Amino acid sequence: MNLDPEMKHRADSTLIALRRILRALDSNDRAIARSSGLSNAQMLVLHALADTGHEMPRDIARRLGVSQATVTALIDRLEARGLVRRERRQADRRMVWVILTDAGRALLDAAPDPLHDRFIRRFDALPDWEQAMLVAVAERLGGLFDAEDVDPLPVMEDVGAEATPRKAG
């Protein structure tokens, strides 16, 4: 394939920037796993519960952009560790709240996610148009990599170097 040199340079520069982002995310995920014993996906579920202290699984799934099966598997692991608990709603017994326990809140407080927190703080400081532009660029890049249907939070069998993603549900 005979490519325009300027276009190839821009494509290469974009891929280098993406690889740097991926390395920073991976390094952060490993640091979180070492300090908390949880996968990044599990920590994101705890973060999703941190504001209100309780959510329904479907709302957590929507917020994180994943399937409900993925969230259910993550909640199962968090519940087994006593970090969340499930409770039937009084108004509709078919509905279940996922509730952050004191142990879950303590773990969140003890194992902050500096990369996530820093990104949120910096992203929030951007003007609306720039936030929208970044979302559009990220979604476009996802399309270029055929990643639209890739679950962004793989369920991990075990946290650590030997962790392997498994498909949920």
Side-chain angles (χ1 to χ4, degrees):
M1 179 181 342
N2 198 6
L3 300 176
D4 170 43
E6 181 60 28
M7 190 280 312
K8 181 166 179 0
H9 174 72
R10 287 191 306 260
D12 289 345
S13 295
T14 301
L15 287 170
I16 288 167
L18 287 170
R19 286 185 187 107
R20 286 183 177 141
I21 292 167
L22 290 172
R23 287 193 65 196
L25 290 168
D26 185 54
S27 175
N28 188 66
D29 288 354
R30 284 192 310 263
I32 288 169
R34 278 191 305 274
S35 69
S36 70
L38 299 179
S39 70
N40 185 50
Q42 291 167 326
M43 286 296 284
L44 288 172
V45 171
L46 292 181
H47 279 290
L49 292 168
D51 293 335
T52 63
H54 64 279
E55 292 285 343
M56 289 190 296
R58 71 165 189 243
D59 296 329
I60 297 169
R62 277 191 208 125
R63 183 170 172 182
L64 299 179
V66 299
S67 71
Q68 191 161 339
T70 295
V71 166
T72 298
L74 293 167
I75 291 167
D76 289 345
R77 289 188 171 93
L78 293 168
E79 188 174 36
R81 291 194 52 183
L83 303 173
V84 301
R85 64 183 170 82
R86 289 179 169 105
E87 185 176 292
R88 296 236 173 251
R89 291 184 60 186
Q90 293 301 319
D92 184 346
R93 302 293 292 166
R94 295 171 296 172
M95 307 295 262
V96 174
W97 286 114
V98 178
I99 300 170
L100 185 63
T101 64
D102 291 341
R105 187 158 310 277
L107 189 139
L108 271 177
D109 292 343
D113 184 345
L115 185 74
H116 181 265
D117 296 342
R118 186 173 56 242
F119 177 81
I120 295 295
R121 200 172 43 256
R122 289 176 178 173
F123 188 84
D124 189 51
L126 297 173
D128 287 344
W129 69 267
E130 199 167 2
Q131 289 179 7
M133 182 183 68
L134 287 171
V135 170
V137 167
E139 289 174 349
R140 174 64 104 174
L141 286 168
L144 293 175
F145 286 101
D146 296 324
E148 302 92 343
D149 295 325
V150 174
D151 195 335
L153 297 178
V155 178
M156 304 301 278
E157 291 296 337
D158 295 300
V159 176
E162 60 281 333
T164 55
R166 96 170 154 79
K167 189 173 178 170

